[in-house]
Amino acid sequence: MAGLYTGSHGRHDLHDDEHDGGIQTHDEMKKTKICKICGDEIGLKENGEMFVACHVCGFPVCQPCYDYERTEGHQSCPQCHTRYKRHKVAGKDFDGEKEAYTAEEWKERVEKWKTRQEKRGLVTKADDVGNEQDDDDYVLMAEARQPLWRKVPIPSRLISPYRIVIVIRFIILCFFFHFRILTPAYDAFALWLISVICEIWFGVSWILDQFPKWLPINRETYLDRLSLRFEREGEPSRLLPVDFFVSTVDPLKEPPIITANTVLSILAVDYPVEKVCCYVSDDGASMLLFDSLSETAEFGRRWVPFCKKYSIEPRAPEFYFNEKIDYLKDKVQPTFVKDRRAMKREYEEFKVRMNALVSKAQKKPEEGWVMQDGTPWPGNNTRDHPGMIQVYLGSEGALDIEGKELPRLVYVSREKRPGYQHHKKAGAENALIRVSAVLTNAPFILNLDCDHYVNNSKAVREAMCFLMDPQVGKKLCYVQFPQRFDGIDRHDRYANRNVVFFDINMKGLDGIQGPVYVGTGCVFNRQALYGYDPPTSEKRPKMTCDCWPSWCCCCCGGSRKPKSKKKGLKAMLGLGAYSKKKKMMGKQYTRKSSVPAFDLEEIEEGLEGYDELEKSSLMSQKNFEKRFGMSPNFIASTLMEEGGLPEGSNPTSLIKEAIHVISCGYEEKTEWGKELGWIYGSITEDILTGFKMHCRGWRSVYCTPKRPAFKGSAPINLSDRLHQVLRWALGSVEIFLSRHCPLWYGYGGKLKLLERLAYINTIVYPFTSIALLAYCTLPAVCLLTGKFIVPTLNNLASIWFIALFLSIIATGVLELRWSGVSIEDWWRNEQFWVIGGVSAHLFAVFQGLLKVLAGVDTNFTVTTKAADDAEFGELYLFKWTTLLIPPTTLIILNMVGVVAGISGAINNGYGSWGPLFGKLFFAFWVIVHLYPFLKGLMGRQNRTPTIVVLWSILLASIFSLVWVRIDPFLPKQTGPILKQCGVEC
């Protein structure tokens, strides 16, 4: 191996070829080719011939990349997509069955390579004397060439039975519906019809939820290889920069101490400091947050070096000091205890200062807030204020207490004026995209909610293993991490952890086209946010030959036309990458490559010699401005695929431009929120944003490191949890009623079928609440009326019922086996599916219909973030909300039904007990699923608020009286009652 790969952009070192003074012969140089995947030399086989991976098109690929493609990739040529065949090498089959080599195997391979070099006269044996230590370097470089990550498929013994049971369950479901539809219960036809409609809807929902989990996978990263490849000793780090986005709205509802911990965990992240910048979006223009960030920056000067010196985890001080573990484990430096004690004392003083700021902010002065320098705070009117930017720390700001550089921290509050639509969180995130592009322009963006701190300091490196991968990195729109939470009780009464979604559904999507974007803990490719399509593989070049004159192009299907001079001029200008257009959703977009930023006027001036057709194939300055807005600096930044700022940038002018791009009118008549950035049209902008990217053909990756990357706080009391679920469901309803509905949007794109099913499931699940409410009411009706939704069962029908019940159990058990989710978490998820379905989801459907069809908007209340030191202090906190009425009514109805059913069976004798068991099972199913709701309703004092009891009893009584008075389930007599006389006439 003549050159070992050390970067994703074709850098390689010659090692012995240079150091030993070896010079390649002319024949060898003629044979040398560069691998189109990793940029290294392809090299020769043992018989001296050039290694050729594909014998169809001859696409140049080196042997290690061929190895990787055979084992972990698509097993086919990247150019012509012909399946790779095994190579015969020295009488043995070579098919790259090994993904990685041990140190001993690599040493053996290096020795073979040295032997070949000696035969070629490039290395002498004398050169190797005393250089045994170089072998370790060769092993390290060989290790660096290995893939940065790999897929870990679910073992066949776990996934194969799971898939078989899914198919069996689908078949049983078809026979079950055949029986239910063809055998109506005529004595309770209305009940039967409602139940069948509900069951069909449940069946469709199950298909939408189940089949996207057909191909679940796990992924494993290799951080040591990332360091070996991009952080070589004695050289500057070649890891790409990352911009962090933290969004907040109201610091009184989202405590500043929580936001401060998130910011501190970002500043202390294990990544080169010059490649990290943290942007905090204050969408409430609060001086409290402004002052708290100033305090946070000052404390960070002490906190960051402490974290890095002792490699502590997590690097959010509140959660680090509250950990109930042995903090001395694995610590060997004697000064650690002393420094930790001092740092804890400083953090407590920092909290006191933050509390003083919060206390001061409780009451706003009549003349408005005044800053420390005596000037009025520009954001005194939160709905009418200019854009504000403040830069803390960084190379030009304060250094840490050891004199070392810190990551830059930037406070951003976008301009707001009456009469403008600001689009809430999505608009704030888009403002951060533009500000960061002007000030730092990192190629990757990591966005976090203010209450989600960095729990794993190496989380960014985990994402870089995918995004900087030379094979798949350019095609990834984002790397999504699972959400994990602190402060939830062990039993997780209201399924706050959402483990089933994050550990089952998301892993299933990762095996298709990638997980959905969940709003936080996500590392984006900035180019994907700009609305560009992913890069496509180069087309296979046409075969040509010299056996016919130049005017004949029929031989071998080739052509011998010389290249146009104008094309050559384009190549010299570096504009060739802009000449190709791509169609997406009926619009034209240009695909760009990694080229430096050009002045737009110079681009126009360089095209005078081209005809109109060629001019139209390039994006003009006018088209740039129509798409991105009127900012030359920002437009220039979009042309730089690997980020960075133009040479000679003036910091003062950049700040002025940054203020311009966050003005409230900047997005007018542009594609922001339509095709660029976070997409508008729903309060769940995360689903829309990821959906648009997948429609363009981008892929995403789900990264689940052993130590959770990020952790956040969840609303653990019942009322806040229901309001959170209400917001999510309302956003899904909005998407369902918009032009971006996955049922009909994006069929001209590159969205895969199973991925589309998953997106359809994310926007139709709230409508399941209607069927669920009806189905939970049916048991009480059946018990009160003595009727049932199923007629008398025969043996065959009983088999279908039992088979369906067993298949449901088997699917759940096998799903838990391959995912590792506990049965308790699965059961909590099932319970809350019913609780949320008959309350929050139901309200979301009606509110969504009112908002979209009638224009009646509903205000979104920010979920309160817990800042109370008492463990689970909010678990029993009760807050009145109308969402509590439907499930409370259902519990009372079913309990009344159970009492009425048992009383009727006692009065009617032994024969009535058989039919009663099915109805009782049905009712108990509802009560058991609603039990956590009933427990939460009682609160800490085990008493339910009077208003809830009164409303629920009132509704249950009205329903019972209507049943007694109308009794719609009994046949009505319209004439005289005729009875058989008993005499055969």
Side-chain angles (χ1 to χ4, degrees):
M1 298 169 65
L4 296 175
Y5 176 72
T6 62
S8 64
H9 309 296
R11 273 189 72 178
H12 57 88
D13 297 324
L14 296 179
H15 296 291
D16 285 345
D17 290 8
E18 277 187 357
H19 299 302
D20 297 328
I23 300 175
Q24 288 183 321
T25 64
H26 175 73
D27 293 337
E28 289 168 345
M29 291 178 66
K30 192 175 180 181
K31 288 183 179 179
T32 300
K33 284 188 177 181
I34 302 300
C35 174
K36 293 291 186 181
I37 295 179
C38 68
D40 196 8
E41 293 182 2
I42 292 180
L44 307 177
K45 295 190 290 186
E46 290 186 354
N47 57 8
E49 296 180 359
M50 178 71 67
F51 176 80
V52 180
C54 179
H55 292 287
V56 177
C57 68
F59 185 70
V61 175
C62 65
Q63 184 169 314
C65 291
Y66 164 85
D67 246 344
Y68 175 76
E69 191 67 29
R70 283 274 301 175
T71 56
E72 300 294 335
H74 297 287
Q75 302 182 352
S76 59
C77 174
Q79 178 170 266
C80 66
H81 303 294
T82 304
R83 187 176 180 84
Y84 277 143
K85 297 180 180 179
R86 292 187 178 184
H87 287 269
K88 294 285 186 177
V89 178
K92 296 181 181 179
D93 287 339
F94 167 70
D95 62 349
E97 292 179 356
K98 298 198 68 171
E99 184 274 339
Y101 295 90
T102 63
E104 291 75 13
E105 290 171 328
W106 272 117
K107 285 184 179 180
E108 184 180 349
R109 296 187 70 186
V110 169
E111 290 300 327
K112 289 182 179 179
W113 175 81
K114 284 186 177 181
T115 303
R116 293 197 299 270
Q117 294 295 83
E118 288 173 9
K119 291 180 180 178
R120 295 166 60 189
L122 300 179
V123 177
T124 61
K125 293 184 178 179
D127 294 328
D128 294 334
V129 177
N131 290 335
E132 294 180 1
Q133 59 186 9
D134 291 343
D135 289 348
D136 295 334
D137 296 333
Y138 283 116
V139 172
L140 290 176
M141 296 309 300
E143 177 71 12
R145 285 210 50 173
Q146 294 298 291
L148 300 177
W149 62 276
R150 73 182 183 99
K151 291 181 182 177
V152 184
I154 308 297
S156 298
R157 60 184 175 81
L158 298 178
I159 197 65
S160 295
Y162 175 66
R163 291 171 178 163
I164 292 171
V165 170
I166 290 175
V167 174
I168 293 174
R169 180 174 170 181
F170 180 75
I171 295 172
I172 293 173
L173 197 63
C174 293
F175 282 103
F176 173 79
F177 284 137
H178 179 268
F179 162 76
R180 291 286 284 130
I181 294 172
L182 296 183
T183 55
Y186 291 107
D187 59 337
F189 189 81
L191 294 179
W192 168 84
L193 184 61
I194 293 172
S195 66
V196 169
I197 294 174
C198 293
E199 288 164 4
I200 292 174
W201 180 262
F202 293 149
V204 173
S205 299
W206 173 76
I207 291 172
L208 293 175
D209 178 69
Q210 188 69 68
F211 281 91
K213 296 183 282 191
W214 187 263
L215 300 167
I217 61 168
N218 294 310
R219 296 182 190 267
E220 192 175 83
T221 55
Y222 302 101
L223 299 182
D224 52 343
R225 295 177 185 173
L226 183 76
S227 296
L228 287 172
R229 186 176 296 186
F230 297 108
E231 295 181 297
R232 297 186 60 189
E233 222 177 304
E235 297 181 6
S237 172
R238 290 183 291 115
L239 292 172
L240 293 177
V242 180
D243 288 336
F244 286 75
F245 290 177
V246 179
S247 57
T248 181
V249 178
D250 187 348
L252 294 178
K253 292 183 179 178
E254 301 166 321
I257 191 63
I258 298 296
T259 304
N261 272 271
T262 300
V263 170
L264 289 169
S265 69
I266 292 172
L267 297 178
V269 74
D270 183 4
Y271 208 71
V273 292
E274 70 277 6
K275 298 177 183 292
V276 173
C277 184
C278 177
Y279 293 86
V280 180
S281 169
D282 178 14
D283 223 28
S286 169
M287 199 177 83
L288 170 59
L289 182 63
F290 181 84
D291 289 340
S292 67
L293 273 187
S294 179
E295 290 285 352
T296 302
E298 184 61 29
F299 177 72
R301 297 177 60 238
R302 297 169 175 79
W303 173 251
V304 173
F306 170 75
C307 292
K308 295 188 175 181
K309 180 179 180 180
Y310 298 110
S311 301
I312 68 168
E313 296 283 2
R315 298 187 178 182
E318 181 71 24
F319 302 95
Y320 170 68
F321 290 124
N322 287 338
E323 275 192 324
K324 297 178 180 179
I325 60 172
D326 180 12
Y327 64 86
L328 294 177
K329 186 178 181 182
D330 300 327
K331 301 301 178 186
V332 294
Q333 299 186 44
T335 58
F336 171 69
V337 175
K338 180 180 178 182
D339 289 350
R340 184 184 187 276
R341 188 181 300 117
M343 184 54 60
K344 187 174 183 180
R345 183 172 60 253
E346 289 191 21
Y347 177 65
E348 289 171 351
E349 294 173 357
F350 168 69
K351 287 179 69 176
V352 170
R353 294 194 297 271
M354 295 290 282
N355 291 337
L357 291 175
V358 174
S359 178
K360 178 183 175 182
Q362 297 292 333
K363 186 177 181 181
K364 184 177 180 180
E366 293 182 2
E367 65 277 8
W369 300 111
V370 179
M371 293 189 289
Q372 293 180 358
D373 58 359
T375 58
W377 171 245
N380 277 318
N381 187 343
T382 58
R383 298 184 179 181
D384 187 2
H385 63 85
M388 295 176 282
I389 296 176
Q390 176 68 41
V391 180
Y392 305 91
L393 305 177
S395 57
E396 299 177 0
L399 305 177
D400 67 19
I401 57 174
E402 298 178 357
K404 296 180 181 178
E405 185 179 352
L406 288 169
R408 191 183 299 185
L409 175 61
V410 183
Y411 168 88
V412 179
S413 181
R414 57 181 173 144
E415 181 186 19
K416 287 190 175 181
R417 301 297 182 192
Y420 286 92
Q421 176 60 263
H422 298 106
H423 302 288
K424 299 182 180 177
K425 180 182 176 180
E429 295 285 357
N430 285 340
L432 288 182
I433 293 177
R434 298 191 293 272
V435 167
S436 62
V438 172
L439 296 181
T440 51
N441 196 32
F444 302 116
I445 293 171
L446 195 161
N447 85 294
L448 292 171
D449 288 342
C450 65
D451 62 323
H452 275 71
Y453 65 91
V454 181
N455 183 64
N456 183 347
S457 62
K458 297 184 184 295
V460 183
R461 294 176 178 270
E462 297 275 354
M464 291 301 113
C465 287
F466 301 101
L467 293 169
M468 295 187 69
D469 183 271
Q471 282 189 303
V472 301
K474 298 295 182 182
K475 297 181 180 180
L476 295 181
C477 54
Y478 58 80
V479 175
Q480 178 67 62
F481 291 87
Q483 290 187 25
R484 306 299 186 202
F485 301 98
D486 285 316
I488 300 176
D489 66 307
R490 184 173 61 86
H491 298 292
D492 192 14
R493 183 183 297 175
Y494 309 122
N496 278 289
R497 293 192 181 94
N498 214 354
V499 177
V500 172
F501 174 76
F502 286 113
D503 289 356
I504 298 179
N505 295 62
M506 294 287 269
K507 288 182 179 179
L509 292 177
D510 198 18
I512 307 171
Q513 196 173 346
V516 299
Y517 169 43
V518 296
T520 184
C522 186
V523 185
F524 282 97
N525 180 343
R526 188 183 284 268
Q527 298 300 309
L529 287 170
Y530 288 157
Y532 288 110
D533 292 345
T536 55
S537 303
E538 296 179 7
K539 291 184 178 180
R540 178 181 174 182
K542 293 182 179 180
M543 299 177 66
T544 61
C545 69
D546 297 326
C547 57
W548 290 89
S550 59
W551 50 265
C552 180
C553 60
C554 60
C555 177
C556 303
S559 172
R560 301 192 59 200
K561 279 189 179 181
K563 290 184 179 178
S564 168
K565 290 183 180 179
K566 291 180 180 178
K567 254 183 193 175
L569 180 57
K570 281 188 189 179
M572 285 191 294
L573 288 172
L575 297 172
Y578 293 90
S579 61
K580 295 182 181 179
K581 285 190 175 182
K582 290 196 144 216
K583 288 187 177 181
M584 177 58 202
M585 306 305 170
K587 293 190 176 183
Q588 299 282 353
Y589 294 110
T590 48
R591 184 65 206 145
K592 48 181 213 48
S593 67
S594 178
V595 294
F598 295 95
D599 187 276
L600 296 174
E601 294 179 0
E602 293 177 2
I603 293 178
E604 289 292 326
E605 291 172 2
L607 301 177
E608 286 121 346
Y610 299 110
D611 55 31
E612 292 300 321
L613 181 63
E614 288 183 318
K615 269 189 180 180
S616 66
S617 67
L618 298 171
M619 184 177 282
S620 65
Q621 179 178 0
K622 185 176 180 181
N623 289 335
F624 267 116
E625 292 175 349
K626 184 178 179 181
R627 188 176 188 198
F628 293 112
M630 302 285 289
S631 171
N633 291 67
F634 175 73
I635 294 173
S637 72
T638 65
L639 306 180
M640 305 175 73
E641 191 172 338
E642 291 182 8
L645 300 176
E647 294 183 5
S649 299
N650 184 359
T652 304
S653 62
L654 290 181
I655 290 291
K656 290 181 180 178
E657 194 66 22
I659 291 290
H660 168 60
V661 298
I662 59 173
S663 59
C664 56
Y666 184 84
E667 294 184 357
E668 286 191 345
K669 298 180 181 179
T670 67
E671 294 187 7
W672 284 102
K674 301 171 186 174
E675 301 295 335
L676 308 182
W678 271 258
I679 306 301
Y680 305 149
S682 171
I683 56 176
T684 52
E685 70 288 329
D686 46 3
I687 297 176
L688 269 181
T689 304
F691 176 61
K692 294 275 284 189
M693 290 179 180
H694 283 134
C695 284
R696 292 190 180 101
W698 290 95
R699 296 185 62 88
S700 57
V701 161
Y702 195 51
C703 183
T704 55
K706 292 182 179 178
R707 179 179 180 86
F710 310 101
K711 279 190 175 182
S713 57
I716 60 176
N717 68 71
L718 179 60
S719 305
D720 282 350
R721 173 65 166 144
L722 289 178
H723 273 104
Q724 182 189 59
V725 174
L726 172 65
R727 184 181 73 90
W728 295 342
L730 180 58
S732 295
V733 175
E734 290 174 343
I735 297 173
F736 178 81
L737 299 173
S738 72
R739 72 183 186 93
H740 288 117
C741 178
L743 284 169
W744 51 73
Y745 181 84
Y747 279 95
K750 300 175 183 178
L751 190 68
K752 295 187 177 180
L753 176 61
L754 291 180
E755 191 83 9
R756 183 177 296 279
L757 290 182
Y759 273 110
I760 291 173
N761 187 46
T762 61
I763 56 101
V764 301
Y765 78 89
F767 294 92
T768 305
S769 60
I770 300 173
L772 191 60
L773 180 66
Y775 215 72
C776 290
T777 308
L778 286 176
V781 175
C782 292
L783 287 167
L784 291 171
T785 60
K787 307 297 180 183
F788 199 42
I789 58 175
V790 180
T792 304
L793 295 178
N794 54 34
N795 292 335
L796 182 60
S798 301
I799 291 174
W800 292 128
F801 271 93
I802 295 172
L804 181 63
F805 184 72
L806 293 177
S807 67
I808 292 173
I809 295 176
T811 306
V813 170
L814 293 174
E815 197 166 76
L816 298 183
R817 283 189 66 204
W818 67 255
S819 66
V821 174
S822 68
I823 191 168
E824 184 180 17
D825 287 324
W826 177 83
W827 175 237
R828 291 302 187 201
N829 183 78
E830 291 295 308
Q831 288 179 313
F832 197 78
W833 175 71
V834 176
I835 295 170
V838 298
S839 56
H841 297 173
L842 185 69
F843 278 70
V845 171
F846 291 107
Q847 288 186 15
L849 292 173
L850 287 173
K851 182 177 181 180
V852 176
L853 301 180
V856 179
D857 199 359
T858 53
N859 292 326
F860 161 52
T861 302
V862 179
T863 305
T864 304
K865 313 300 181 187
D868 190 0
D869 292 335
E871 190 175 16
F872 314 134
E874 288 197 352
L875 177 62
Y876 304 102
L877 180 64
F878 184 87
K879 299 177 182 178
W880 158 247
T881 172
T882 53
L883 296 177
L884 304 177
I885 295 176
T888 307
T889 304
L890 285 175
I891 289 177
I892 294 175
L893 274 177
N894 281 278
M895 287 183 173
V896 170
V898 169
V899 174
I902 294 176
S903 300
I906 293 173
N907 293 332
N908 296 329
Y910 178 79
S912 60
W913 283 98
L916 179 65
F917 283 126
K919 302 172 188 176
L920 289 177
F921 174 81
F922 204 12
F924 279 122
W925 179 90
V926 176
I927 294 170
V928 168
H929 278 77
L930 291 176
Y931 175 72
F933 172 84
L934 181 62
K935 197 171 182 180
L937 202 62
M938 296 300 176
R940 183 187 294 274
Q941 293 81 18
N942 290 327
R943 57 183 294 270
T944 305
T946 308
I947 189 170
V948 177
V949 177
L950 290 177
W951 268 103
S952 302
I953 292 177
L954 178 62
L955 291 176
S957 301
I958 292 174
F959 181 86
S960 302
L961 290 172
V962 169
W963 162 69
V964 172
R965 181 69 182 87
I966 301 176
D967 202 1
F969 308 107
L970 295 177
K972 299 295 185 291
Q973 301 293 339
T974 57
I977 299 176
L978 301 176
K979 296 182 179 180
Q980 285 185 332
C981 63
V983 179
E984 294 183 6
C985 301

